[in-house]
Amino acid sequence: ELGREVYEHAARTAQLGAAIESVVSDRLSDISGVLRLSSPPSIADTLLTPLVIAFQKRYPNVRIQILVTDRHVDHIADGVDLVLRVGALRDSSLVARRLIAYRHRLVATPDYLRGSKPPKEPRDLLGHRLLTFSQWKPESVWNFVHRNGRGKETLTFQPHFSINDFAGLAPALLTCGGIGELPPLVRPDLVREGKLVEVMPHWHLQTFNLSLVHLGNRHISKPCRLFKDFAIQMAPSQFPDLPE
């Protein structure tokens, strides 16, 4: 008799759970609106576009507009809901949720390393052709921390090739030869397939946080909230082997 009562109670609970799930699914399928996003050029194709495609499969009635730019985005003036931003916030009115953390790597082609003496210490890099991201400056600086956490070195140099777009740096490393700095979010297939290999893996470059940023003093729409939660959940799975 006690077992029968427990069974009937459980059956009613299961039916209620199924009903709730059905209602929630119906509501989610009705979500619509316009979501405006912004991203730096270097991660628009490898991170943001795959996230948006997966999100729209789940919420097909949400229309999405993307502004790809390397300038500082004004949420109000540009009419942007969410911005993918690298580094710390400069505005206290903004709210940031971290998606992933990653460090840049020094990389080169295996052919280049076979034809030259591979560097072991940061100062050894001065004997190599160096390629770097730069905002139109004659000198570049790389700050290194040894993986043991104790050693630190700073290298100041005049690059053989510089460009203010990491996406443009990758093909230069492949075709021109040399050693350069590349974020793991840019052309991750090149390292995965062995076309580029990490140089001096025991010396680490700076670590960055990639965050989703929105205004903290304004109401955000339901598509905006859903995309934020979706991106926080999905972004790490897109890059499971980020260098630490």
Side-chain angles (χ1 to χ4, degrees):
E1 187 176 344
L2 178 59
R4 189 184 305 112
E5 185 177 347
V6 170
Y7 172 80
E8 291 174 354
H9 202 52
R12 287 195 297 271
T13 302
Q15 291 171 358
L16 179 60
I20 291 173
E21 185 176 352
S22 176
V23 170
V24 170
S25 297
D26 291 342
R27 286 292 185 90
L28 290 179
S29 64
D30 291 338
I31 290 173
S32 61
V34 178
L35 180 60
R36 297 177 177 88
L37 310 172
S38 180
S39 163
S42 57
I43 59 174
D45 60 336
T46 58
L47 178 64
L48 183 56
T49 298
L51 280 176
V52 166
I53 291 171
F55 182 79
Q56 285 191 315
K57 284 183 179 179
R58 183 174 296 185
Y59 306 106
N61 295 327
V62 176
R63 291 174 291 131
I64 295 181
Q65 301 172 357
I66 301 175
L67 172 66
V68 178
T69 178
D70 57 1
R71 66 173 173 82
H72 180 77
V73 174
D74 186 312
H75 285 73
I76 297 176
D78 293 311
V80 175
D81 299 309
L82 288 169
V83 176
L84 270 77
R85 183 166 297 171
V86 178
L89 297 183
R90 293 178 291 177
D91 189 339
S92 60
S93 67
L94 301 176
V95 174
R97 289 289 304 275
R98 192 179 78 171
L99 292 181
I100 50 178
Y102 59 90
R103 65 171 175 86
H104 289 196
R105 292 180 288 204
L106 287 185
V107 294
T109 64
D111 286 344
Y112 176 82
L113 294 176
R114 279 193 293 266
S116 60
K117 185 179 180 180
K120 295 182 179 179
E121 306 292 332
R123 60 181 175 271
D124 297 339
L125 291 166
L126 296 176
H128 289 266
R129 175 182 170 84
L130 302 180
L131 296 80
T132 187
F133 179 97
S134 178
Q135 297 281 1
W136 210 249
K137 295 179 180 179
E139 289 190 329
S140 295
V141 177
W142 284 337
N143 294 303
F144 294 92
V145 177
H146 198 275
R147 65 183 175 190
N148 62 20
R150 295 189 294 271
K152 293 184 180 181
E153 288 198 30
T154 297
L155 188 73
T156 302
F157 60 95
Q158 293 182 339
H160 291 78
F161 177 94
S162 63
I163 185 172
N164 67 333
D165 180 18
F166 281 115
L169 194 59
L173 283 163
L174 289 172
T175 58
C176 300
I179 298 173
E181 170 191 9
L182 205 61
L185 308 189
V186 176
R187 295 296 307 274
D189 57 299
L190 297 179
V191 173
R192 192 181 306 122
E193 296 170 4
K195 295 177 180 177
L196 292 175
V197 296
E198 186 171 6
V199 178
M200 297 192 320
H202 51 290
W203 284 100
H204 293 178
L205 290 170
Q206 184 177 357
T207 297
F208 294 90
N209 288 330
L210 176 67
S211 303
L212 267 180
V213 179
H214 63 85
L215 287 172
N217 55 2
R218 302 181 79 186
H219 171 73
I220 62 174
S221 66
K222 193 162 189 176
C224 185
R225 291 198 304 273
L226 288 171
F227 183 83
K228 185 174 71 168
D229 293 340
F230 181 84
I232 290 169
Q233 179 184 1
M234 296 300 297
S237 65
Q238 287 188 250
F239 299 94
D241 53 353
L242 288 174
E244 298 178 357

